[in-house]
Amino acid sequence: MHDKKVNSTRRTPVELYNKLLIDPVVEMPENAKKTKNETLLFHVALTATDAPYSKWQCRIMYYWYKKMKNLPGSEMGKFTRILHSGSPDNLMDEIPTFVVDPLPPGLDRGYVVLNRPWAFVQWLEKATIEEEYILMGEPDHIFINPLPNLARGGYPAAFPFFYIKPTEHEKIVRKYFPEEKGPVTNIDPIGNSPVIIRKDLLEKIAPTWMNVSLKMKNDTETDNTFGWVLEMYAYAVASALHRVQHILCKDFMLQPPWDMETGKKFILHFTYGCDYNMKGELTYGKFGEWRFDKRSYLDGPPPQNLSLPPPGVPESVVTLVKKVNEATASIPNWDTK
């Protein structure tokens, strides 16, 4: 269906979108092109558990969603936390939430992320979703700029991860993506998040994503090789099985401490620990004299008014702490939920 992959790693998203409007890099149906004044809202969705660690991240994400939603340039629609714990929790009145069932006991084999594709399958089947597009996000995403719809028709938008390398694992990937489906290069170097995708495409991909995830987890070689990114590979493979390729938008997201400037990026992903000495030097892999790591708060939320990093620390890390501090100071009953 799509014989060329759009890669925007050398251009900003705005440059890519303008390019698609006036001189498409790939063949694209006329009705998939976006006119200058057209607004294509996307529904913001993330999967979550009822664990304290998940809850406080969701609260911060939802706070920044509300701050950015109605700003110029935003095409954000409604918001749903897809709660895959099977029963309501104490955030139901604070965050729009849709409760779905977890996988049967033992099926995730301790890898809770396997619940994500199953949660999306249930939500897509049972919920009323008004928007034509969906953004799949995660609790540790902070919106730092108004997010437009980066997708174009049948071409979803995704962030390219440097550690997702299907071509380097062809032997394993071929267990799930046979040669008759095409070259391994058809598998994008992505996970399921962040992705903006048309709803009907996700409805086709999601069951396959779930099944491939479970098959990968049950294969020892695949499980040992892919580890914590197994479900990301599963989404990439599932998309390719449905002949869906993504616009790769490097400016979709930044990841401190490795990305040092926020610039015009849209999402700040705080998955990595940030460790520095008081000279502002990174001490990654070793606890720093100053540090922020979400895993320090597995059992409850971080305190309000975290100390800012020392001079010399990258702007992206300073921005992260400031965004967390603003959210925790503004969200009611921060320490009690």
Side-chain angles (χ1 to χ4, degrees):
M1 182 181 295
H2 309 317
D3 57 358
K4 292 184 180 179
K5 187 182 301 182
V6 185
N7 191 317
S8 65
T9 56
R10 296 186 179 180
R11 291 169 288 178
T12 68
V14 172
E15 290 171 337
L16 174 64
Y17 314 142
N18 291 337
K19 181 74 172 175
L20 288 174
L21 285 173
I22 62 176
D23 183 19
V25 178
V26 296
E27 287 299 321
M28 189 177 300
E30 287 297 323
N31 60 7
K33 300 177 185 178
K34 184 177 179 183
T35 61
K36 289 183 179 179
N37 297 321
E38 185 180 10
T39 298
L40 296 174
L41 297 180
F42 55 86
H43 195 105
V44 179
L46 73 156
T47 59
T49 73
D50 60 1
Y53 178 65
S54 177
K55 285 181 178 179
W56 69 256
Q57 294 177 58
C58 289
R59 298 181 81 192
I60 291 175
M61 185 199 183
Y62 185 56
Y63 172 84
W64 284 106
Y65 155 81
K66 291 189 293 183
K67 291 274 286 189
M68 295 294 159
K69 179 180 183 294
N70 295 318
L71 293 180
S74 167
E75 292 181 282
M76 295 177 175
K78 294 182 179 180
F79 185 103
T80 299
R81 177 182 65 134
I82 308 170
L83 181 64
H84 55 75
S85 300
S87 57
D89 65 4
N90 64 342
L91 293 183
M92 303 294 290
D93 293 333
E94 179 178 330
I95 304 175
T97 298
F98 191 91
V99 179
V100 297
D101 294 325
L103 288 169
L107 199 59
D108 66 10
R109 296 174 57 193
Y111 182 54
V112 68
V113 184
L114 279 188
N115 284 278
R116 182 178 293 154
W118 173 224
F120 270 107
V121 167
Q122 295 174 81
W123 178 64
L124 289 164
E125 287 181 350
K126 299 175 182 178
T128 300
I129 306 162
E130 296 176 1
E131 297 86 350
E132 185 182 357
Y133 290 83
I134 292 168
L135 164 67
M136 292 187 283
E138 296 184 12
D140 58 357
H141 286 176
I142 293 175
F143 296 106
I144 57 173
N145 281 303
L147 180 59
N149 189 337
L150 310 181
R152 291 295 175 267
Y155 295 82
F159 177 79
F161 289 91
F162 69 90
Y163 49 79
I164 302 297
K165 301 176 180 179
T167 55
E168 293 188 7
H169 301 288
E170 182 164 2
K171 177 176 175 289
I172 293 175
V173 167
R174 283 301 186 194
K175 295 181 180 183
Y176 316 96
F177 189 75
E179 289 189 12
E180 59 266 25
K181 293 294 184 179
V184 172
T185 51
N186 283 355
I187 302 172
D188 291 321
I190 62 172
N192 83 288
S193 178
V195 166
I196 300 177
I197 185 170
R198 211 170 61 199
K199 182 170 58 179
D200 64 313
L201 292 179
L202 185 56
E203 287 171 342
K204 295 175 183 177
I205 292 170
T208 307
W209 170 28
M210 180 185 72
N211 290 332
V212 172
S213 296
L214 293 171
K215 288 178 181 178
M216 285 184 170
K217 188 63 181 175
N218 286 325
D219 182 84
T220 301
E221 182 185 23
T222 306
D223 190 22
N224 290 340
T225 301
F226 290 164
W228 65 274
V229 298
L230 179 149
E231 170 267 343
M232 297 173 69
Y233 272 99
Y235 175 81
V237 168
S239 299
L241 287 170
H242 287 277
R243 300 175 65 82
V244 173
Q245 292 189 291
H246 297 67
I247 301 169
L248 304 181
C249 298
K250 193 172 183 180
D251 284 351
F252 205 156
M253 188 170 74
L254 74 146
Q255 302 185 99
W258 310 116
D259 297 310
M260 297 186 179
E261 301 290 335
T262 54
K264 295 183 179 180
K265 294 180 170 64
F266 300 107
I267 293 172
L268 189 157
H269 185 207
F270 58 97
T271 190
Y272 294 105
C274 298
D275 288 273
Y276 291 88
N277 61 29
M278 298 314 290
K279 296 179 182 178
E281 298 167 335
L282 182 67
T283 63
Y284 193 77
K286 176 183 177 182
F287 275 28
E289 298 172 86
W290 180 94
R291 73 187 315 257
F292 177 80
D293 187 338
K294 65 177 185 177
R295 295 162 192 84
S296 299
Y297 308 104
L298 295 175
D299 299 324
Q304 295 175 315
N305 196 28
L306 294 168
S307 64
L308 292 177
V313 169
E315 176 266 340
S316 63
V317 179
V318 177
T319 297
L320 165 59
V321 179
K322 288 181 175 179
K323 297 290 186 185
V324 170
N325 280 345
E326 178 180 332
T328 61
S330 303
I331 297 172
N333 305 310
W334 175 251
D335 292 325
T336 60
K337 285 190 177 181

Short mmCIF file of all heavy atoms in Angstrom, two decimals, residues 24-47:
data_model
loop_
_atom_site.label_atom_id
_atom_site.label_comp_id
_atom_site.label_asym_id
_atom_site.label_seq_id
_atom_site.Cartn_x
_atom_site.Cartn_y
_atom_site.Cartn_z
N PRO A 24 3.89 16.25 -1.81
CA PRO A 24 3.92 15.04 -0.99
C PRO A 24 5.15 14.17 -1.26
O PRO A 24 5.54 13.96 -2.40
CB PRO A 24 2.63 14.31 -1.40
CG PRO A 24 1.75 15.38 -1.94
CD PRO A 24 2.67 16.36 -2.60
N VAL A 25 5.74 13.69 -0.18
CA VAL A 25 6.86 12.77 -0.29
C VAL A 25 6.38 11.40 -0.71
O VAL A 25 7.07 10.65 -1.38
CB VAL A 25 7.61 12.70 1.05
CG1 VAL A 25 8.76 11.71 0.97
CG2 VAL A 25 8.13 14.08 1.44
N VAL A 26 5.16 11.06 -0.33
CA VAL A 26 4.56 9.78 -0.70
C VAL A 26 3.26 10.04 -1.43
O VAL A 26 2.65 11.09 -1.30
CB VAL A 26 4.28 8.92 0.56
CG1 VAL A 26 5.57 8.56 1.26
CG2 VAL A 26 3.33 9.61 1.50
N GLU A 27 2.83 9.05 -2.19
CA GLU A 27 1.53 9.17 -2.83
C GLU A 27 0.45 9.12 -1.77
O GLU A 27 0.42 8.23 -0.94
CB GLU A 27 1.33 8.02 -3.83
CG GLU A 27 2.17 8.17 -5.08
CD GLU A 27 1.84 9.42 -5.87
OE1 GLU A 27 0.64 9.77 -5.97
OE2 GLU A 27 2.76 10.06 -6.39
N MET A 28 -0.43 10.08 -1.77
CA MET A 28 -1.44 10.19 -0.74
C MET A 28 -2.75 10.63 -1.38
O MET A 28 -2.76 11.52 -2.22
CB MET A 28 -1.00 11.23 0.29
CG MET A 28 -1.86 11.28 1.52
SD MET A 28 -1.21 12.47 2.72
CE MET A 28 0.42 11.80 3.03
N PRO A 29 -3.86 9.99 -1.04
CA PRO A 29 -5.14 10.39 -1.61
C PRO A 29 -5.42 11.86 -1.34
O PRO A 29 -5.06 12.40 -0.30
CB PRO A 29 -6.15 9.50 -0.86
CG PRO A 29 -5.35 8.37 -0.34
CD PRO A 29 -3.99 8.90 -0.08
N GLU A 30 -6.09 12.50 -2.28
CA GLU A 30 -6.38 13.92 -2.14
C GLU A 30 -7.15 14.20 -0.85
O GLU A 30 -6.93 15.20 -0.17
CB GLU A 30 -7.20 14.42 -3.35
CG GLU A 30 -6.37 14.53 -4.63
CD GLU A 30 -5.26 15.56 -4.52
OE1 GLU A 30 -5.47 16.59 -3.88
OE2 GLU A 30 -4.17 15.32 -5.07
N ASN A 31 -8.06 13.29 -0.49
CA ASN A 31 -8.87 13.55 0.70
C ASN A 31 -8.10 13.30 1.99
O ASN A 31 -8.63 13.50 3.08
CB ASN A 31 -10.15 12.72 0.68
CG ASN A 31 -9.89 11.23 0.65
OD1 ASN A 31 -8.74 10.81 0.76
ND2 ASN A 31 -10.93 10.43 0.48
N ALA A 32 -6.84 12.83 1.88
CA ALA A 32 -6.03 12.65 3.08
C ALA A 32 -5.19 13.87 3.39
O ALA A 32 -4.62 13.98 4.45
CB ALA A 32 -5.12 11.43 2.92
N LYS A 33 -5.11 14.78 2.41
CA LYS A 33 -4.33 15.98 2.64
C LYS A 33 -5.12 16.98 3.45
O LYS A 33 -6.33 17.10 3.31
CB LYS A 33 -3.93 16.60 1.29
CG LYS A 33 -3.09 15.69 0.43
CD LYS A 33 -2.80 16.34 -0.91
CE LYS A 33 -2.08 15.37 -1.83
NZ LYS A 33 -1.84 15.96 -3.15
N LYS A 34 -4.42 17.69 4.29
CA LYS A 34 -5.08 18.63 5.19
C LYS A 34 -4.99 20.04 4.63
O LYS A 34 -3.89 20.51 4.31
CB LYS A 34 -4.42 18.57 6.57
CG LYS A 34 -5.09 19.44 7.61
CD LYS A 34 -4.39 19.25 8.93
CE LYS A 34 -5.03 20.13 10.00
NZ LYS A 34 -4.32 20.01 11.27
N THR A 35 -6.11 20.68 4.51
CA THR A 35 -6.10 22.06 4.08
C THR A 35 -5.72 22.97 5.25
O THR A 35 -5.81 22.58 6.41
CB THR A 35 -7.48 22.48 3.53
OG1 THR A 35 -8.44 22.34 4.59
CG2 THR A 35 -7.88 21.61 2.36
N LYS A 36 -5.32 24.19 4.95
CA LYS A 36 -4.77 25.07 5.96
C LYS A 36 -5.76 25.34 7.10
O LYS A 36 -5.37 25.47 8.25
CB LYS A 36 -4.32 26.39 5.32
CG LYS A 36 -3.08 26.25 4.45
CD LYS A 36 -2.64 27.59 3.91
CE LYS A 36 -1.37 27.45 3.06
NZ LYS A 36 -0.95 28.76 2.51
N ASN A 37 -7.03 25.46 6.79
CA ASN A 37 -8.01 25.83 7.81
C ASN A 37 -8.76 24.65 8.40
O ASN A 37 -9.67 24.82 9.20
CB ASN A 37 -9.01 26.83 7.21
CG ASN A 37 -8.33 28.12 6.80
OD1 ASN A 37 -7.44 28.59 7.49
ND2 ASN A 37 -8.75 28.68 5.68
N GLU A 38 -8.39 23.44 7.99
CA GLU A 38 -9.10 22.26 8.46
C GLU A 38 -8.62 21.87 9.85
O GLU A 38 -7.42 21.85 10.13
CB GLU A 38 -8.87 21.10 7.49
CG GLU A 38 -9.67 19.85 7.81
CD GLU A 38 -9.41 18.74 6.80
OE1 GLU A 38 -8.48 18.89 5.99
OE2 GLU A 38 -10.12 17.73 6.86
N THR A 39 -9.57 21.57 10.73
CA THR A 39 -9.24 21.11 12.08
C THR A 39 -9.63 19.65 12.21
O THR A 39 -10.77 19.28 11.95
CB THR A 39 -9.98 21.93 13.14
OG1 THR A 39 -9.58 23.31 13.03
CG2 THR A 39 -9.66 21.43 14.54
N LEU A 40 -8.67 18.83 12.59
CA LEU A 40 -8.91 17.39 12.76
C LEU A 40 -8.59 17.03 14.21
O LEU A 40 -7.44 16.77 14.56
CB LEU A 40 -8.04 16.58 11.79
CG LEU A 40 -8.32 16.78 10.30
CD1 LEU A 40 -7.30 16.03 9.46
CD2 LEU A 40 -9.73 16.29 9.96
N LEU A 41 -9.61 17.05 15.04
CA LEU A 41 -9.41 16.77 16.46
C LEU A 41 -9.02 15.31 16.69
O LEU A 41 -9.47 14.42 15.98
CB LEU A 41 -10.67 17.09 17.25
CG LEU A 41 -11.14 18.54 17.26
CD1 LEU A 41 -12.42 18.67 18.10
CD2 LEU A 41 -10.07 19.48 17.78
N PHE A 42 -8.20 15.10 17.69
CA PHE A 42 -7.85 13.74 18.10
C PHE A 42 -8.18 13.57 19.58
O PHE A 42 -8.06 14.49 20.38
CB PHE A 42 -6.39 13.42 17.83
CG PHE A 42 -5.40 14.38 18.46
CD1 PHE A 42 -4.96 14.20 19.76
CD2 PHE A 42 -4.91 15.45 17.73
CE1 PHE A 42 -4.06 15.08 20.34
CE2 PHE A 42 -4.00 16.34 18.29
CZ PHE A 42 -3.58 16.15 19.59
N HIS A 43 -8.62 12.36 19.92
CA HIS A 43 -8.95 12.02 21.30
C HIS A 43 -7.66 11.60 22.00
O HIS A 43 -6.90 10.78 21.48
CB HIS A 43 -9.95 10.87 21.32
CG HIS A 43 -10.61 10.66 22.64
ND1 HIS A 43 -11.92 11.03 22.88
CD2 HIS A 43 -10.16 10.12 23.80
CE1 HIS A 43 -12.24 10.72 24.12
NE2 HIS A 43 -11.18 10.16 24.70
N VAL A 44 -7.38 12.16 23.15
CA VAL A 44 -6.19 11.82 23.92
C VAL A 44 -6.53 10.65 24.84
O VAL A 44 -7.45 10.75 25.67
CB VAL A 44 -5.69 13.02 24.75
CG1 VAL A 44 -4.46 12.64 25.56
CG2 VAL A 44 -5.38 14.20 23.83
N ALA A 45 -5.81 9.55 24.69
CA ALA A 45 -6.09 8.36 25.48
C ALA A 45 -4.80 7.78 26.03
O ALA A 45 -3.76 7.77 25.36
CB ALA A 45 -6.80 7.30 24.63
N LEU A 46 -4.86 7.32 27.27
CA LEU A 46 -3.73 6.62 27.85
C LEU A 46 -4.25 5.47 28.69
O LEU A 46 -5.39 5.50 29.15
CB LEU A 46 -2.89 7.55 28.73
CG LEU A 46 -3.46 7.96 30.09
CD1 LEU A 46 -2.34 8.35 31.04
CD2 LEU A 46 -4.42 9.12 29.95
N THR A 47 -3.44 4.45 28.84
CA THR A 47 -3.81 3.33 29.69
C THR A 47 -3.12 3.48 31.04
O THR A 47 -2.02 4.03 31.14
CB THR A 47 -3.43 1.99 29.06
OG1 THR A 47 -2.01 1.96 28.83
CG2 THR A 47 -4.16 1.79 27.74
#
